[in-house]
């Protein structure tokens, strides 16, 4: 949420436009400062005190801003402490997986307030959508906030979603291609939105850091990848926000769920690693880090395939690479360094400064990112 500025080369703003711009500037300053004073706002934004007072009164009326005590006196009248009410609005994010669903509620700063898991396997049936909806409704009602503070529910799915957000256009993992948003909304009391799971995870990474150009790689049970340009997830035509997982690594490789052979998904997903190891991943990584020869060889092969994927992408776009998702909880710094070195070795050109950025949200990235898309939309409307 960047600070709004007036470009002197642009056309002169109307009084209404100027009022909206000043409103946004004042709230943005309070939001980014978290705690401030009226005088500090005036000095930072070069706005008159009456303009600031008018906007503050409106924000207080809406519950977005609160007054909380006074600063210590510096010789004159004590300045009132103004702070952003982070719980003025709450967003709910849901990640629907084949084996379960996970849910979080977050405040305006992305802090997780509550979370839960529904240990029910997905199925494309009316009874499942009803059960999921009832679980989401019960979760929303359990929050200690009135319904008018809730921004809605954003559901992240293992599938592509149409540009208008109304239809799942490709979802072979869940076998629900063609299902509409209305199918979910039918049983959910709050406004419901759909999003591709990898796009949601990338939204969490964007929230975490100011990112200009990057590729976000989701090391989840099913692999995912998203291209970020100018701080926004790139939206394509038919293929949504990107499906790096279906780039071909080897044409004669394993059959992918998409119908092709040798996709990145079949080599670099956490699911494919688990199949190669033939054991649960927590045990696999315990053995890897203990020096087990067989497990270490499988892990090195996985990292080399991931390095080839990264190198292929870098030949098209040279930018930052962000790692997130399920596997991060098992990986240590040595693993990241090994992968980094494999990427450098794979590249035909000298790139000594290449490093991975790491998402701090790990396996919660998707449901958290889904909720944060609603927070961002709300902040953009102020």
């Amino acid at each position: 949420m960047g600070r709004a500025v007036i470009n002197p080369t642009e056309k002169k703003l109307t009084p209404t436009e100027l009022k909206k711009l000043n409103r946004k500037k004042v709230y943005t300053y309070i939001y980014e400062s978290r705690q401030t004073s009226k005088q500090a706002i005036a000095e930072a934004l070069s706005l008159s005190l009456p303009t600031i007072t008018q906007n503050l009164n409106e924000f207080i009326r809406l519950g977005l801003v609160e007054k909380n005590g006074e600063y210590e006196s510096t010789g004159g009248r004590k300045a009132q402490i103004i702070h952003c009410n982070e719980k003025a609005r709450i967003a709910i994010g849901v990640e629907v997986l084949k084996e379960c669903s996970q849910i979080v509620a977050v405040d305006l700063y992305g802090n997780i307030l509550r979370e839960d898991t529904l240990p029910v396997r997905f199925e494309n049936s009316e009874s499942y959508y009803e059960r999921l909806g009832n679980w989401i409704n019960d979760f929303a009602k359990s929050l200690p906030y009135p319904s008018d503070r809730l921004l809605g529910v954003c559901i992240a799915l293992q599938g592509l979603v149409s540009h208008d957000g109304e239809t799942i256009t490709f979802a072979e993992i869940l076998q629900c291609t063609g299902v509409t948003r209305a199918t979910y909304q039918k049983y959910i009391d709050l406004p419901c939105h759909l999003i591709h799971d990898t796009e949601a995870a990338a939204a969490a990474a964007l929230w975490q850091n100011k990112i200009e150009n990057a590729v976000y790689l989701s090391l989840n049970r099913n692999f995912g990848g998203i291209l970020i340009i100018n701080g926004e997830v790139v939206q394509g035509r038919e293929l949504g926000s990107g499906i790096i997982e279906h780039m071909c690594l080897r044409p004669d490789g394993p059959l992918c769920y998409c119908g092709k052979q040798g996709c990145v998904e079949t080599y670099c997903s956490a699911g494919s690693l688990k199949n190669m190891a033939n054991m649960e991943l927590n045990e696999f990584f315990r053995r890897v880090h203990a020096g087990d020869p067989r497990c270490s060889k499988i892990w090195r092969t996985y990292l080399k395939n991931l390095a080839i994927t990264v190198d292929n992408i870098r030949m098209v776009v040279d930018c930052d690479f962000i790692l997130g998702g399920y596997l991060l909880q098992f990986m240590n710094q040595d693993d990241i360094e090994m992968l980094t070195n494999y990427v450098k070795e794979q590249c035909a050109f000298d790139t000594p400064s290449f490093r991975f950025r790491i998402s701090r949200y790990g396996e919660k990235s998707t449901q958290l990112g889904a909720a944060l898309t609603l927070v961002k939309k709300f902040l953009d409307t102020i």
Side-chain angles (χ1 to χ4, degrees):
M1 187 178 172
R3 294 180 182 173
V5 295
I6 300 175
N7 185 340
T9 64
E10 293 179 353
K11 68 179 180 65
K12 187 175 180 180
L13 297 175
T14 66
T16 300
E17 290 172 334
L18 183 59
K19 185 177 180 180
K20 287 181 179 179
L21 179 59
N22 287 337
R23 183 178 191 270
K24 187 171 188 65
K25 288 170 69 177
V26 171
Y27 181 80
T28 299
Y29 184 84
I30 299 169
Y31 178 87
E32 292 181 348
S33 301
R34 295 195 177 226
Q35 181 172 293
T36 186
S37 68
K38 189 185 298 186
Q39 291 80 0
I41 299 171
E43 291 175 8
L45 303 181
S46 299
L47 293 176
S48 68
L49 285 176
T51 296
I52 294 170
T53 299
Q54 182 183 31
N55 282 290
L56 283 178
N57 290 339
E58 175 68 5
F59 293 143
I60 291 171
R61 184 184 69 80
L62 295 172
L64 296 174
V65 167
E66 296 175 332
K67 292 181 179 179
N68 185 19
E70 297 176 329
Y71 286 102
E72 289 296 322
S73 175
T74 56
R77 184 177 178 182
K78 291 183 179 180
Q80 286 187 310
I81 297 173
I82 298 164
H83 76 97
C84 179
N85 178 12
E86 68 272 15
K87 295 181 177 62
R89 298 293 184 275
I90 309 298
I92 296 174
V94 178
E95 180 181 14
V96 173
L97 299 165
K98 190 187 299 185
E99 64 275 11
C100 68
S101 292
Q102 298 171 317
I103 191 169
V104 296
V106 305
D107 64 21
L108 289 178
Y109 286 108
N111 299 308
I112 295 178
L113 305 174
R114 188 166 295 181
E115 54 190 309
D116 195 14
T117 299
L118 178 66
V120 175
R121 288 185 65 84
F122 175 87
E123 62 177 54
N124 187 9
S125 68
E126 201 72 16
S127 61
Y128 172 82
Y129 294 120
E130 183 175 9
R131 183 168 184 179
L132 180 75
N134 289 336
W135 172 65
I136 293 172
N137 292 336
D138 289 342
F139 178 85
K141 291 173 184 175
S142 74
L143 299 172
Y145 309 103
S147 59
D148 61 357
R149 285 201 196 183
L150 304 184
L151 295 174
V153 179
C154 185
I155 299 177
L157 299 149
Q158 294 175 294
L160 301 181
V161 178
S162 61
H163 283 296
D164 62 6
E166 292 297 320
T167 307
I168 302 169
T169 59
F170 180 83
E172 285 301 302
I173 296 174
L174 297 180
Q175 291 290 297
C176 63
T177 299
V179 170
T180 64
R181 186 192 63 81
T183 302
Y184 286 88
Q185 186 68 77
K186 181 178 180 181
Y187 298 106
I188 299 174
D189 296 335
L190 294 168
C192 168
H193 310 265
L194 302 180
I195 189 172
H196 181 201
D197 60 347
T198 309
E199 183 177 346
L206 283 167
W207 186 269
Q208 175 185 344
N209 290 304
K210 180 176 175 58
I211 297 170
E212 288 300 320
N213 304 317
V215 173
Y216 177 86
L217 298 179
S218 182
L219 309 183
N220 278 335
R221 294 164 181 84
N222 294 99
F223 191 87
I226 291 289
L227 178 62
I228 298 166
I229 298 293
N230 295 327
E232 298 287 341
V233 171
V234 173
Q235 294 291 343
R237 297 174 183 174
E238 288 86 5
L239 302 182
S241 51
I243 42 176
I244 289 171
E245 59 268 33
H246 296 299
M247 287 171 48
C248 182
L249 276 187
R250 295 181 179 86
D252 58 349
L255 183 67
C256 180
Y257 64 81
C258 74
K260 298 193 306 181
Q261 284 183 267
C263 291
V264 171
E265 163 70 23
T266 66
Y267 291 98
C268 298
S269 65
S272 67
L273 179 61
K274 180 181 176 181
N275 290 337
M276 286 186 285
N278 196 27
M279 66 181 74
E280 294 298 322
L281 288 178
N282 55 352
E283 174 62 17
F284 169 75
F285 277 96
R286 187 191 69 78
R287 296 188 185 188
V288 167
H289 296 145
D292 179 273
R294 175 184 172 273
C295 292
S296 295
K297 182 178 180 180
I298 291 172
W299 181 229
R300 287 194 300 270
T301 299
Y302 171 91
L303 291 178
K304 287 177 181 178
N305 285 323
L306 183 55
I308 293 172
T309 301
V310 172
D311 186 62
N312 286 342
I313 298 169
R314 291 182 74 204
M315 296 305 100
V316 178
V317 53
D318 184 20
C319 60
D320 288 341
F321 278 75
I322 306 165
L323 294 180
Y326 177 72
L327 281 187
L328 284 187
Q329 65 184 304
F330 304 111
M331 296 170 66
N332 59 29
Q333 189 57 43
D334 289 340
D335 296 319
I336 301 298
E337 285 300 319
M338 190 186 307
L339 174 59
T340 302
N341 290 333
Y342 284 154
V343 171
K344 292 178 180 179
E345 292 170 6
Q346 183 65 35
C347 186
F349 308 96
D350 189 23
T351 55
S353 64
F354 177 83
R355 288 288 184 274
F356 284 101
R357 298 171 68 170
I358 307 299
S359 169
R360 72 166 180 258
Y361 300 123
E363 63 178 330
K364 293 183 181 179
S365 294
T366 302
Q367 62 259 35
L368 181 60
L372 288 173
T373 61
L374 299 181
V375 174
K376 184 178 184 300
K377 285 180 183 178
F378 172 74
L379 294 176
D380 287 344
T381 63
I382 292 178

